[in-house]
Amino acid sequence: MTTTISPELMIGSQAPRLTSLPPLSLYIHIPWCMKKCPYCDFNSHEVRTERGDMPEAEYVAALIRDLETAVPQVWGRPVVSVFFGGGTPSLFSAQSIETILSTVRALLPLELFAEITLEANPGTFEMQKFTDFRAAGINRLSVGIQSFNPRHLKALGRIHNGDDALRAIEIALRNFDNLNLDLMYGLPDQTLEQAQTDIETAAASGASHISAYHLTLEPNTLFHRYPPPLPDDDLTAEMQLMIEQTLANNGYENYETSAFAQPGREARHNMNYWLFGDYLGIGAGAHSKISFRDKILRQVRYRQPKAYVEKTRASTMDAGPALLEQREVGRNDRAFEFMMNALRLTRGFAIETFLERTGLPITSIQRQLDEAEQRVLITRDFQHVAPTLLGRRFLNDLLQIFLPEKRIG
């Protein structure tokens, strides 16, 4: 494990203290998928069933050991949400998911109505399996549709087609009344009309939440090495406006840059991220953010599943979890990390929340707030800060104002 000490701590300046600890979520990473998509930069590994290289039971045991050794860091704190991400967590059996959740409930005070989400892909849908997931304790499903267009699905390397996507939604809605659909736009050779058909199909499905992401070419992906023909910036901007208008007309609120929800169906887990809440991440490559009264830590688990399993075997309650990296979030980074997340929210944030989550007074970024307001990128009063429509359209420009280097200079 490597530990990085921020420069201000090295010179002895006192870190700001938190008056209260933020809400706590739990993230559980399951890193296997049926096929690695060419645009995906997540820590996911393609299953090769003939080699039997998805050691489900062994990995579940490793997750449990990881959680047991991490619990002392968050002892007694209630968990408001649980998220099974990947990869494709729905590849695991409902029995494995139930075993993990039973351990969570035994070790942590899980809130009575905690949101518990499982990610799934249409290519892995079976009616009985998803009935069993619901019985195991999952109460929210997030389905990676991406598109209903067979040509675009093929270009994205997906293993399902449009009919599979519609069938998956039908099965999901029989078992879950809280359903998210992930879609993408700006796809290879996609037209505005095709993007509109996708979003209208999603809106008509009855899903309570829709996430619409612009396809980006991430480093270390096949698409980055061999870029496909993508729509230009003007066309993708038209797609974004069309998506926002279509979903608004269908009763969805655009409460975050890429997230749209029916009233009261915002993702609690993601809202906790965006408001600089805490999250304990277990599983291969999982990230954590854990606050204490006098410090905020960020942690990373070992990325490769085999190494992760081996390292968890050697971890102990006294030594703590097996970490690849741990660093303390310094004073200068706290404000930026908070703003980087909270300014994604259409409604912005309460100034009181900034103080609670960072330990810093809002005056610590007074000059940056003044600049953002002068450039009409935010609105604010004595209680609240929110991005303007211009600020949401040029979010990167807005966030650059709060970069630590800019503040130090």
Side-chain angles (χ1 to χ4, degrees), residues 68-337:
E68 288 172 343
T69 56
V71 159
Q73 295 182 319
V74 294
W75 190 257
R77 295 177 60 182
V79 173
V80 300
S81 65
V82 180
F83 195 101
F84 289 87
T88 305
S90 56
L91 288 175
F92 273 26
S93 68
Q95 182 178 358
S96 289
I97 299 300
E98 184 175 23
T99 298
I100 296 167
L101 286 176
S102 294
T103 303
V104 170
R105 292 188 178 95
L107 296 175
L108 293 167
L110 185 62
E111 285 192 352
L112 180 60
F113 297 107
E115 177 190 270
I116 305 176
T117 302
L118 180 82
E119 286 188 333
N121 284 330
T124 64
F125 265 71
E126 302 168 17
M127 176 66 78
Q128 187 58 51
K129 189 173 187 179
F130 283 85
T131 301
D132 293 342
F133 281 143
R134 184 60 193 258
I138 302 298
N139 56 32
R140 182 176 184 269
L141 206 62
S142 181
V143 182
I145 300 293
Q146 313 313 350
S147 177
F148 295 94
N149 184 301
R151 186 163 63 86
H152 294 145
L153 288 169
K154 184 177 180 180
L156 292 173
R158 307 295 288 176
I159 63 172
H160 67 276
N161 58 36
D163 290 339
D164 293 334
L166 293 172
R167 179 175 175 273
I169 293 171
E170 180 186 355
I171 292 173
L173 288 173
R174 290 184 189 179
N175 294 283
F176 299 90
D177 61 357
N178 199 355
L179 172 66
N180 170 63
L181 302 181
D182 277 349
L183 278 90
M184 302 176 78
Y185 66 95
L187 306 180
D189 292 319
Q190 188 179 38
T191 66
L192 180 63
E193 292 73 22
Q194 289 168 336
Q196 185 164 3
T197 298
D198 273 352
I199 206 67
E200 287 177 346
T201 303
S205 71
S208 54
H209 191 286
I210 294 173
S211 302
Y213 301 103
H214 185 307
L215 173 63
T216 55
L217 304 184
E218 301 291 352
N220 302 316
T221 64
L222 189 63
F223 270 7
H224 191 266
R225 291 195 294 273
Y226 306 101
L230 300 179
D232 61 30
D233 291 344
D234 289 340
L235 179 52
T236 54
E238 286 187 65
M239 291 179 181
Q240 181 181 359
L241 288 171
M242 175 275 298
I243 288 168
E244 292 172 354
Q245 184 172 355
T246 300
L247 291 176
N249 292 342
N250 283 273
Y252 293 86
E253 180 190 356
N254 184 195
Y255 71 99
E256 187 269 341
T257 301
S258 303
F260 304 78
Q262 293 176 349
R265 290 306 181 97
E266 296 87 352
R268 290 185 66 191
H269 189 85
N270 290 345
M271 283 294 294
N272 195 34
Y273 283 167
W274 292 321
L275 286 173
F276 210 48
D278 279 359
Y279 47 94
L280 172 61
I282 61 172
H287 290 239
S288 301
K289 170 189 170 280
I290 303 176
S291 298
F292 301 85
R293 296 288 182 177
D294 59 345
K295 61 186 174 183
I296 299 174
L297 297 179
R298 287 200 178 275
Q299 302 170 339
V300 184
R301 262 61 176 175
Y302 286 86
R303 183 177 176 87
Q304 291 296 324
K306 184 176 181 180
Y308 169 76
V309 170
E310 290 174 352
K311 295 293 184 180
T312 58
R313 287 198 184 105
S315 60
T316 65
M317 290 285 285
D318 291 336
L323 303 175
L324 174 64
E325 179 183 343
Q326 177 172 285
R327 69 175 179 88
E328 186 167 336
V329 182
R331 181 188 188 96
N332 285 343
D333 289 323
R334 289 190 187 187
F336 174 68
E337 291 192 12

Side-chain angles (χ1 to χ4, degrees), residues 8 329-340 354 358 360-369 371 398-409:
E8 76 243 26
V329 182
R331 181 188 188 96
N332 285 343
D333 289 323
R334 289 190 187 187
F336 174 68
E337 291 192 12
F338 179 95
M339 301 300 279
M340 182 173 63
F354 178 87
T358 67
L360 300 168
I362 196 70
T363 52
S364 66
I365 53 169
Q366 185 68 45
R367 179 177 62 80
Q368 292 75 30
L369 290 170
E371 179 182 342
L398 173 55
L399 295 179
Q400 284 177 5
I401 296 172
F402 298 92
L403 280 170
E405 293 82 3
K406 190 175 182 70
R407 294 204 312 276
I408 293 171

